[in-house]
Amino acid sequence: MVINVLNGLVYGGLLYILSVGLVLIFGLRRVVNFAHGSLFMVGGYIAFAVAAHGGFWVALPVAIAALAILGVILDRFVFRPLQHEDPIATVLVTFGLLLVLEDVVKTIWGKDFLSLAAPPLLSGTVSIAGETFPVYRLMVIGVAVLVAAGLSLWLRFSRIGLYVRASSVDPVTTGMQGVDTDRVSAVVVAIGAGLAGLSGTIAAPLMALSPSMGSFILIDSFIVVVVGGLGSFTGAFIAALLIGQVHNFGIVYVPWAASLIPFLLMVAVLIWRPTGLAGGRA
């Protein structure tokens, strides 16, 4: 039971790191980014390529920085022009981006499954409740907690965090106060994309790398965002941990319905609370 809970926390942690990037981008740009899953996938492949020459600890910051730069480019040429367009146009363009990035990865790395080994420092196991558990998986849980704490402190106590919160509520008035909201949004999108790179990199030793890996986890990430409440960081954290447990226990006890359970949970939450678990209290 304890091991199952920990495995649920590992998947929930990955979901949180990925989905909080979606929350950031939606909060500032009002863009539902269907390409976010492909950023997760590209982060994993970049880490794979860099780790082959410099090792995992070099690949980690390189993948985060590369995705942050890609985020700035996407913000300038895609998200900023789309923020006032019809939501259908946004969905179509970002979904098209997802397909383009998948084709780019297929061209460079092929369609075969690839794997990235965990760093030797974290390759061992520890004994928990009489059973062994990989140290690397505990590291994933720790990274998710650090990301949650870091984002919370940054948003509450930094000047740019204040600008981010103000811009997400009233960008017009914030801009009238002399804040460059486009620059703030670019920073936020870079952080969101960088977090996708972080989640893709730390997920690479846990799952096989494939061009379609982003599409699968993107569905659960959107469920996290909806269940938690659009724009809510606290809701995303709670929902990610909840979906992680539901996903893991579903695979263990009802594998034939495991993929349906998160959707059923989402429907139940939306019926009970249409704004999500923490909607309106971000």
Side-chain angles (χ1 to χ4, degrees):
M1 177 64 76
V2 174
I3 299 301
N4 286 335
V5 170
L6 288 174
N7 280 326
L9 289 176
V10 172
Y11 188 63
L14 279 178
L15 279 179
Y16 170 72
I17 299 171
L18 183 62
S19 60
V20 78
L22 277 172
V23 173
L24 281 167
I25 294 172
F26 178 80
L28 267 291
R29 283 300 187 203
R30 293 293 188 268
V31 169
V32 179
N33 181 21
F34 271 79
H36 206 66
S38 60
L39 300 182
F40 166 84
M41 177 264 296
V42 170
Y45 273 96
I46 290 177
F48 171 81
V50 177
H53 303 283
F56 181 87
W57 298 115
V58 175
L60 183 64
V62 170
I64 295 171
L67 266 295
I69 294 170
L70 179 58
V72 172
I73 296 171
L74 290 177
D75 181 70
R76 176 63 185 86
F77 296 103
V78 180
F79 298 153
R80 191 186 301 181
L82 283 176
Q83 64 178 339
H84 300 302
E85 297 296 330
D86 190 304
I88 296 299
T90 300
V91 169
L92 292 176
V93 171
T94 56
F95 186 73
L97 268 176
L98 182 148
L99 298 178
V100 168
L101 289 173
E102 283 188 0
D103 282 342
V104 169
V105 166
K106 288 177 184 175
T107 302
I108 297 174
W109 286 284
K111 298 179 182 179
D112 295 336
F113 291 105
L114 302 175
S115 61
L116 175 63
L121 180 65
L122 302 172
S123 61
T125 60
V126 294
S127 179
I128 299 176
E131 298 186 59
T132 59
F133 193 77
V135 174
Y136 185 81
R137 287 176 172 261
L138 290 177
M139 185 276 290
V140 173
I141 298 173
V143 170
V145 172
L146 288 176
V147 168
L151 278 177
S152 178
L153 293 173
W154 178 65
L155 288 169
R156 290 178 183 277
F157 299 111
S158 71
R159 181 179 294 274
I160 192 168
L162 173 65
Y163 295 159
V164 170
R165 286 186 288 139
S167 297
S168 66
V169 175
D170 191 343
V172 175
T173 303
T174 305
M176 292 174 64
Q177 300 299 315
V179 176
D180 188 339
T181 54
D182 281 334
R183 182 171 296 180
V184 171
S185 296
V187 171
V188 167
V189 173
I191 292 174
L195 288 173
L198 170 63
S199 58
T201 301
I202 63 176
L206 300 175
M207 59 178 65
L209 292 172
S210 72
S212 61
M213 62 185 286
S215 301
F216 293 116
I217 199 169
L218 179 67
I219 296 172
D220 281 351
S221 298
F222 273 119
I223 292 176
V224 166
V225 174
V226 172
V227 169
L230 291 175
S232 171
F233 297 100
T234 304
F237 185 75
I238 296 171
L241 297 184
L242 184 60
I243 297 297
Q245 296 301 329
V246 167
H247 178 271
N248 191 64
F249 277 91
I251 290 176
V252 173
Y253 293 107
V254 282
W256 57 272
S259 60
L260 294 177
I261 295 176
F263 288 99
L264 295 176
L265 175 65
M266 180 177 69
V267 171
V269 169
L270 291 180
I271 291 174
W272 168 62
R273 189 178 173 86
T275 57
L277 295 175
R281 292 187 284 116

